[in-house]
Amino acid sequence: MLSEGRREGLRLSLNRSLSEPGEASGEAAVRCPVSLPHLLAPQVVSMPASPCGESATLQRSLLLRRARALQPAEVARKLTKTKPRNFLLVDLRPFIAYNLRHIRSAINLNCSDRFNRKRLQLRRASVVDLAASPCGRDLLKKRCYKEIIVYDDSTTDLEALPPHHPVYLVLNALLEDNREPLLLK
């Protein structure tokens, strides 16, 4: 059984708890006969480098190495010269902008909202899942198209894309699907 004086020394003030960091109040330090400075001192622990960070760096370097940018003249030549088309056009703009004007035979992917971008980033959705039309889903499922040309309103440089950008996410998903992604400048 604890004596009354010793019990008073173990009480904490109402505004503090054992889990809070910081210095003990002077009143509690005087009353408490036991001093544990090595337990109260803040400790710095360095964690090893995150494997996710290395994975993201490797993914980015693979994307920059395998994906390439096309000029509009090259795409126009492909559209007019190639009769059996061996490529697919993917429009990443919002659905309303796609409906107003798009390249003929382009498929619209719905990745302009945060929800679908997050699903794509977490690999809970594929490029096929984001196709706005059933015809577009069928074309993406066929896998007879190796080259897939991706475009949106403003992206022109692959190296400047942040990892959460819709174009980056779609290009990355296409690489994981063993396709050859191309970016229309």
Side-chain angles (χ1 to χ4, degrees):
M1 190 95 170
L2 289 174
S3 69
E4 192 61 36
R6 192 157 169 193
R7 182 178 289 174
E8 282 296 319
L10 293 176
R11 280 198 186 141
L12 293 174
S13 61
L14 291 176
N15 61 354
R16 297 252 314 130
S17 72
L18 288 174
S19 63
E20 288 181 352
E23 297 294 321
S25 66
E27 182 181 301
V30 170
R31 286 186 287 172
C32 184
V34 179
S35 171
L36 302 172
H38 64 281
L39 291 178
L40 295 176
Q43 297 178 352
V44 177
V45 177
S46 65
M47 300 298 288
S50 169
C52 295
E54 291 175 14
S55 173
T57 306
L58 290 173
Q59 250 178 352
R60 184 168 193 79
S61 65
L62 180 66
L63 177 70
L64 291 174
R65 194 170 357 113
R66 291 203 38 211
R68 62 186 177 95
L70 289 177
Q71 296 295 329
E74 290 179 70
V75 175
R77 185 180 47 79
K78 279 184 170 239
L79 284 170
T80 57
K81 303 264 178 171
T82 311
K83 286 299 177 199
R85 288 202 177 141
N86 57 354
F87 65 92
L88 201 57
L89 284 164
V90 174
D91 189 332
L92 300 181
R93 297 176 304 150
F95 186 70
I96 294 173
Y98 170 80
N99 274 343
L100 289 176
R101 179 173 290 173
H102 63 272
I103 299 173
R104 187 178 297 145
S105 77
I107 297 169
N108 183 245
L109 292 186
N110 182 14
C111 58
S112 58
D113 63 337
R114 280 189 325 183
F115 179 71
N116 282 335
R117 278 196 309 267
K118 193 67 172 175
R119 286 177 56 213
L120 194 59
Q121 189 174 17
L122 295 174
R123 295 183 179 100
R124 297 220 170 107
S126 67
V127 175
V128 175
D129 298 330
L130 299 180
S133 68
C135 179
R137 280 192 285 276
D138 292 341
L139 284 173
L140 285 167
K141 281 181 188 176
K142 280 187 178 178
R143 304 187 61 73
C144 59
Y145 299 103
K146 185 78 172 163
E147 286 185 349
I148 298 184
I149 301 171
V150 177
Y151 70 94
D152 71 344
D153 284 334
S154 59
T155 305
T156 59
D157 188 17
L158 283 170
E159 293 180 17
L161 287 176
H164 59 273
H165 195 279
V167 173
Y168 181 87
L169 295 171
V170 168
L171 291 174
N172 205 16
L174 290 171
L175 275 178
E176 289 176 359
D177 200 24
N178 291 324
R179 310 273 182 116
E180 186 178 331
L182 304 165
L183 177 66
L184 175 61
K185 285 186 172 186

